[in-house]
Amino acid sequence: MSTEHFDVVVIGGGPGGYAAALYGASAGLKIAIVEKSKLGGTCLNVGCIPAKELLETATVKRTIDHASMFGIQAEITGLDWATTLNRKQSVVDQLVGGLGGLLKKRKVTVFDGLGTLGPDHKTVSISGGASGDTTVSGGAVILAAGSVPRSIPGFPIDSSRIVTSDELLSIPSLPASAVVIGGGVIGCEFASMMSDLGTEVTILEAEPSILLNCDTDCVKVVKRSFKKRGITVREGVMVTGQTTEQNQVTVNFGDGEQVTAETVVMSVGRRPASDTLGLEATQVDVDPRGFIVVDPQCRTTAVDVWAVGDVIDTAQLAHIAFAEGMLAIKDLMGEAAVPIDYVNVPWCIYSHPEVAFAGLTEDQAKEAGIDYVVSKHRFTGNGRAIIVGETDGLVKIIAQKKADGTGGKILGVHLAGPWVTEQLGQGYLAVNWEATVDEVAHFIQPHPTMSELFGESVLALTGRSLHG
Ligand code: NAI
């Protein structure tokens, strides 16, 4: 059996792997990508894309619910979940198909099968898929195996009673009631979507707050809205077990409390899928939690092997994986690759209301002993938000405090409210360009837009303001 040689062999066809493949191919490298399931990985197939598609269904429902205030008389007569799932799947299929086409156009060779790294750190064995059993070799290998949902002991996952995000995204019918275990990003997005579509939702969160890594003012916006919409949020409660009867699951939590629902959604984090890569026989170090150990350049402990995406211990976000994939390619090409500044990466949470942020939260600035100033402006005074009829939420800017009390360098931008995931861009640039309040306040915001509120909030830190 001959072994075809490539400049780079990438194991894993999710955002980390395919970004490395596309970027490397665009730089003239001969690339192979090995994928055991579907191109696009978690993000395209069972993550970002299908989840946001279902959240859009919830948005359509909310819009119709509020149509009468615009004088549009509309009545919702039902939810055709099969159509909802079909649309979600067609969006996924379109993007997965597009990705396949893009890889082909860039002349990336795609192997269908499970890829494992050999002890020489160059040979990758491929097995069990449509490409048959074969081996390839790479001048460099990039490990991008991704992650899988975690569960907790005593909660066996099935297709509709106790589910993770994988199953929920294709659940045959939406349950009348659900207990969401874990109030992180996935838990809050699914709780929001299900509640808007008519499910009675309870969130059980072990930590003192849901969305623990978000600024507390943004979390308050989400909690207030969840409460208004009837979502029960229980924080600081440990889940201790469950009993399943035919049509319902009773979850035990806290100090002898119970909650019963048709479906339990397990959203307690994701674990790295490093265990299928054959790493035991290699020099690639894996930490006790299963993350592949890397340096800031995403180099593993084995020569000429890089690792990117959810399989390393960095924020499990598709856009971080893209950045790491490109970083690894630059590094293996011998270019000066600037490491990722993980503190200031962009975060977007697509619950209703949405949350988006980059940089330090107020608590983090306080803990770091930074002398800072804060500006907060609410969407209640923003023309576009009033027009749209969605005024819950705020923009919060954290900046270094200058001697005269005005704002200096912008350290954190935190948004909660309507369309904020689409508004974070300039906040992200401001933080990462290390822009000052005076520099950003000089720029004009188009009117009427929701993004005016960002400009207004920055302007206020100069010591003068317009509306706020
Ligand atoms: P997460 O780490 O964001 O949240 C998990 C939550 O579960 C935490 O708040 C944790 O305290 C809680 N928890 C853990 N064990 C528990 C227990 N036994 N009982 C009650 N609560 C418990 O993980 P999540 O939401 O599952 O998401 C996985 C990854 O995917 C995250 O890294 C997330 O950032 C990423 N993701 C990002 C999205 C976005 O950026 N919009 C969307 C979906 C996922």
Side-chain angles (χ1 to χ4, degrees):
M1 184 167 60
S2 71
T3 297
E4 190 177 357
H5 185 77
F6 294 86
D7 295 323
V8 184
V9 177
V10 182
I11 305 182
Y18 79 69
L22 290 173
Y23 190 72
S26 76
L29 298 175
K30 183 185 176 193
I31 311 254
I33 189 165
V34 187
E35 170 54 57
K36 66 176 166 50
S37 179
K38 289 184 183 149
L39 284 174
T42 299
C43 168
L44 259 56
N45 295 288
V46 283
C48 318
I49 297 298
K52 269 82 260 184
E53 204 286 333
L54 294 183
L55 277 154
E56 200 54 37
T57 303
T59 302
V60 171
K61 162 96 168 26
R62 275 198 320 276
T63 303
I64 299 169
D65 283 343
H66 297 134
S68 63
M69 74 181 180
F70 292 86
I72 308 284
Q73 302 305 331
E75 196 189 342
I76 296 178
T77 54
L79 171 67
D80 178 2
W81 187 246
T83 301
T84 305
L85 288 185
N86 279 341
R87 183 172 197 280
K88 176 222 63 171
Q89 200 52 46
S90 70
V91 170
V92 168
D93 292 346
Q94 190 179 335
L95 288 168
V96 172
L99 174 60
L102 208 53
L103 288 165
K104 199 168 172 189
K105 209 166 115 197
R106 298 267 172 94
K107 299 193 170 32
V108 173
T109 307
V110 178
F111 289 92
D112 181 326
L114 178 74
T116 51
L117 182 65
D120 64 355
H121 303 142
K122 300 218 168 300
T123 306
V124 172
S125 304
I126 301 163
S127 62
S131 300
D133 293 355
T134 185
T135 58
V136 291
S137 66
V141 175
I142 299 180
L143 306 173
S147 63
V148 292
R150 280 182 52 216
S151 185
I152 50 181
F155 284 80
I157 303 301
D158 59 29
S159 61
S160 65
R161 285 286 152 253
I162 304 179
V163 299
T164 69
S165 48
D166 284 359
E167 294 77 27
L168 184 63
L169 289 165
S170 301
I171 200 160
S173 62
L174 211 54
S177 54
V179 175
V180 175
I181 303 182
V185 180
I186 293 183
C188 286
E189 289 187 351
F190 280 148
S192 181
M193 179 271 287
M194 288 190 293
S195 167
D196 283 343
L197 296 178
T199 303
E200 192 188 325
V201 179
T202 302
I203 301 176
L204 302 178
E205 168 56 55
E207 294 286 346
S209 175
I210 60 168
L211 298 177
L212 202 63
N213 67 339
C214 302
D215 191 275
T216 49
D217 279 311
C218 292
V219 180
K220 273 185 207 158
V221 172
V222 175
K223 281 203 222 176
R224 210 175 301 130
S225 173
F226 277 11
K227 191 170 176 189
K228 224 169 22 184
R229 285 145 66 206
I231 299 174
T232 304
V233 177
R234 298 295 309 272
E235 297 166 317
V237 291
M238 281 308 290
V239 170
T240 50
Q242 61 85 25
T243 45
T244 303
E245 286 165 49
Q246 211 171 11
N247 292 323
Q248 57 185 35
V249 188
T250 299
V251 178
N252 306 319
F253 68 97
D255 210 3
E257 293 184 77
Q258 291 189 323
V259 54
T260 297
E262 271 183 26
T263 295
V264 168
V265 180
M266 193 59 69
S267 47
V268 293
R270 301 179 61 88
R271 73 167 173 80
S274 59
D275 46 351
T276 57
L277 291 167
L279 301 181
E280 312 76 37
T282 71
Q283 301 290 316
V284 176
D285 281 354
V286 176
D287 79 11
R289 291 174 305 150
F291 290 107
I292 296 175
V293 176
V294 290
D295 71 5
Q297 247 69 28
C298 290
R299 296 178 196 137
T300 71
T301 45
V303 178
D304 293 335
V305 182
W306 282 254
V308 301
D310 284 7
V311 81
I312 64 173
D313 191 9
T314 57
Q316 293 175 318
L317 302 169
H319 46 277
I320 304 299
F322 291 150
E324 290 168 345
M326 292 190 283
L327 177 83
I329 291 291
K330 281 187 191 164
D331 194 49
L332 68 85
M333 291 179 77
E335 296 174 5
V338 180
I340 294 162
D341 175 6
Y342 289 105
V343 174
N344 291 324
V345 299
W347 282 85
C348 287
I349 301 161
Y350 296 78
S351 53
H352 175 71
E354 295 183 345
V355 178
F357 65 96
L360 296 184
T361 63
E362 186 170 359
D363 286 345
Q364 287 166 340
K366 208 177 286 172
E367 270 164 40
I370 296 169
D371 201 11
Y372 65 89
V373 278
V374 171
S375 167
K376 293 186 216 176
H377 282 70
R378 298 206 162 265
F379 280 104
T380 37
N382 175 268
R384 191 82 196 278
I386 294 171
I387 291 166
V388 171
E390 288 200 23
T391 52
D392 283 352
L394 86 167
V395 172
K396 177 172 177 178
I397 314 283
I398 295 153
Q400 274 174 351
K401 189 177 187 176
K402 291 201 294 194
D404 65 359
T406 62
K409 192 168 103 173
I410 297 175
L411 303 173
V413 174
H414 302 268
L415 320 173
W419 308 349
V420 295
T421 55
E422 297 292 342
Q423 297 179 55
L424 180 64
Q426 55 181 340
Y428 170 75
L429 281 185
V431 168
N432 283 273
W433 223 310
E434 303 187 355
T436 65
V437 161
D438 287 339
E439 285 165 344
V440 174
H442 176 74
F443 294 127
I444 297 168
Q445 301 288 333
H447 173 80
T449 60
M450 294 188 192
S451 62
E452 280 178 282
L453 204 60
F454 169 76
E456 191 81 43
S457 304
V458 174
L459 183 65
L461 289 175
T462 64
R464 297 179 188 169
S465 63
L466 279 183
H467 308 92

